[in-house]
Amino acid sequence: LYAQSLDKLGRQKDLLGQLSRWLEVDRDNPVLREFYAQRLIEAGEFITAKGELDRLRGRASAIPLTILLYRKMNDPQKLLEAFIEVVRGTDRTDTVSEQIKATTEEPELLAGLAKAARQMKETDPNAYYASYVVAKLATMAKNGELSIEFLKRCLSDKKAPPDPNLYEELINLLWENKKYEEIIAATEQAEKVIPQFRSTFIEYRSRALESLGRVDEAIAILEGLIKESRSPDDTISTRLAIARIQMQRENFDEALRICRELEKEFPASSQAPYIRYILATVLSQKGDIEEFEKSMLALIRDSKELRGEFLATLHNDLGYTWAEHEKNLDQAEIMIRKALDAKPDEPAYLDSLGWVYFKQERYEQAIESLRKATESPKGQDAVIYDHLGDAYLKVQKTEDARRAWERAQELLVDNQTSKARQQRENIEKKLKLLLDSTENRSTPNS
């Protein structure tokens, strides 16, 4: 109250002196000392603030102030040590969430933390925690390369227990960055150190192999996994993965056969809705839109109790398919908005909404939705940029269209599936037509 009163009177400079005098007669008041330290930091009097915080060492409530101090001092080494203190033993990151967020918004400081972590010796007991801190901060800062580097450092530390969550985080980041060869290496390593999660890692590896065009290898390791399945859920999951690959290869009849066999064998399984979903997706890819619609509408009706993300996916997929075939566009928009109600920032759903707008000839709204989708790391998808290029072309923004299509091509470079090859060919045709039309406009009539 005293500080607020001085603020209103314009006498902020009087506060530190008064706090210091109060502490002379109330030396054992930790709350007052923390308040004094905070105001010292805000005033840039870092040395005095550090002295006060040293007196408060051991108090959990002083840790956020210590991190604030070293962040303001731009001292990565000391800041890293403070963060390590937070995560060692009982993880107390929730107490410093504000400082974590602020650190992720300072790229130079994050780079300094990474440099400090790299300089630590492997024998240092804090080396693992330093890598863990930098990996988590980099992930929050959406710095994929840095996060991948330090997650690998964590997982290569032989003193730390193997952590399946860190492996999964690494694999997802590698997937977002199209590093399929590295996914294969990471899953092979993970399989050795955490054999109880072998099936999960093999499924990740099969997807990476598929993206590299090594489809027969992907199917072979999954078929081997079926023989080792210990539960019906494992069997279903693996056979659905094979069905999905067969669908990508346009072996639709084989994919349908697998799904229908699973429907008959496991009618009461908790995974029955997912079997029906994959079956409907195969029908859509095969071009049997009428059967797809029937299947999806029945699945949506029967899956209302599931709610959440799965139901949102159903709404999105049906809405997007209608948009693709220019059917029921108003109803398609309603479906996709239901999906967005569940996940407002999901790039796939924003893409679907943008594509409905495109089909409705609402091109500016299409651009707005599609651009928003590309702002997320998960939105770095060739289909989204392809759609964005189409929308830009409709409003005569040819340079923006060209850039969007070229970005789509970049995202398809490492993907060797037949579907990706077809996408590349379609985009190349659009770019050639765009180039030809630009040259024709710039060439004077003879």
Side-chain angles (χ1 to χ4, degrees), residues 242-243 246-261 279 282-283 285-288:
I242 294 173
Q246 295 291 11
M247 178 179 66
Q248 295 293 339
R249 297 178 83 182
E250 299 185 0
N251 291 340
F252 300 121
D253 289 340
E254 176 62 13
L256 287 171
R257 182 190 67 78
I258 294 170
C259 292
R260 284 175 174 146
E261 281 185 359
L279 175 58
V282 177
L283 290 168
Q285 294 295 309
K286 189 180 180 182
D288 194 341

Side-chain angles (χ1 to χ4, degrees), residues 135-389:
K136 292 297 184 180
L137 290 170
T139 299
M140 288 183 65
K142 296 182 172 55
N143 187 331
E145 291 293 335
L146 196 62
S147 186
I148 287 168
E149 175 191 346
F150 280 91
L151 282 170
K152 286 181 177 179
R153 283 174 173 264
C154 287
L155 293 167
S156 65
D157 192 315
K158 294 181 175 57
K159 300 185 298 297
D163 187 337
N165 293 323
L166 289 183
Y167 272 109
E168 187 167 11
E169 191 174 337
L170 173 61
I171 291 164
N172 285 330
L173 280 168
L174 291 170
W175 187 265
E176 287 176 13
N177 287 273
K178 320 294 183 189
K179 296 179 183 289
Y180 305 121
E181 293 284 3
E182 292 185 42
I183 289 172
I184 293 170
T187 54
E188 287 173 346
Q189 178 189 345
E191 202 180 324
K192 291 174 185 175
V193 297
I194 317 177
Q196 63 267 39
F197 291 96
R198 185 168 183 266
S199 60
T200 300
F201 296 130
I202 285 179
E203 287 191 27
Y204 277 124
R205 186 152 71 250
S206 72
R207 291 177 62 196
L209 286 165
E210 180 193 351
S211 296
L212 290 167
R214 295 157 61 181
V215 180
D216 290 338
E217 289 180 66
I219 292 176
I221 64 170
L222 289 171
E223 287 177 341
L225 188 60
I226 290 172
K227 297 173 184 176
E228 302 172 17
S229 293
R230 297 179 181 178
S231 70
D233 279 355
D234 286 346
T235 300
I236 293 168
S237 176
T238 308
R239 286 169 67 182
L240 284 178
I242 294 173
R244 185 182 55 77
I245 292 175
Q246 295 291 11
M247 178 179 66
Q248 295 293 339
R249 297 178 83 182
E250 299 185 0
N251 291 340
F252 300 121
D253 289 340
E254 176 62 13
L256 287 171
R257 182 190 67 78
I258 294 170
C259 292
R260 284 175 174 146
E261 281 185 359
L262 288 170
E263 265 194 314
K264 289 179 183 176
E265 291 176 38
F266 303 100
S269 167
S270 61
Q271 293 206 60
Y274 301 100
I275 298 170
R276 292 171 63 189
Y277 169 65
I278 297 296
L279 175 58
T281 303
V282 177
L283 290 168
S284 170
Q285 294 295 309
K286 189 180 180 182
D288 194 341
I289 302 305
E290 187 175 335
E291 282 303 310
F292 164 77
E293 286 179 23
K294 288 179 183 175
S295 298
M296 288 294 279
L297 287 169
L299 188 50
I300 288 170
R301 183 191 64 238
D302 298 342
S303 301
K304 284 181 180 176
E305 69 280 2
L306 295 176
R307 302 191 179 279
E309 195 166 331
F310 179 63
L311 190 55
T313 298
L314 299 180
H315 284 129
N316 174 73
D317 287 9
L318 180 56
Y320 180 80
T321 302
W322 276 338
E324 271 284 273
H325 292 83
E326 299 185 10
K327 292 180 62 177
N328 307 329
L329 292 180
D330 290 342
Q331 188 63 24
E333 182 179 346
I334 292 170
M335 285 283 178
I336 294 163
R337 288 194 180 281
K338 286 181 179 179
L340 282 165
D341 285 342
K343 294 185 74 176
D345 298 317
E346 172 58 45
Y349 302 167
L350 290 167
D351 171 59
S352 297
L353 182 62
W355 202 228
V356 169
Y357 286 147
F358 180 89
K359 296 294 185 176
Q360 293 171 329
E361 301 183 5
R362 296 155 66 183
Y363 302 121
E364 292 292 352
Q365 287 172 281
I367 290 169
E368 182 182 352
S369 185
L370 292 165
R371 282 180 61 184
K372 186 177 178 183
T374 65
E375 291 170 2
S376 162
K378 288 172 62 180
Q380 300 310 297
D381 181 273
V383 172
I384 298 175
Y385 278 96
D386 188 14
H387 289 164
L388 183 58

Side-chain angles (χ1 to χ4, degrees), residues 46-84:
F46 300 137
I47 295 174
T48 308
K50 185 178 181 306
E52 295 299 327
L53 289 172
D54 285 344
R55 295 185 183 188
L56 292 163
R57 184 170 295 280
R59 279 182 61 83
S61 56
I63 293 174
L65 289 175
T66 303
I67 291 174
L68 173 64
L69 172 66
Y70 293 129
R71 188 171 67 79
K72 292 290 187 181
M73 290 176 69
N74 195 26
D75 188 334
Q77 181 63 53
K78 291 292 186 183
L79 181 59
L80 184 59
E81 291 171 9
F83 274 130
I84 289 171

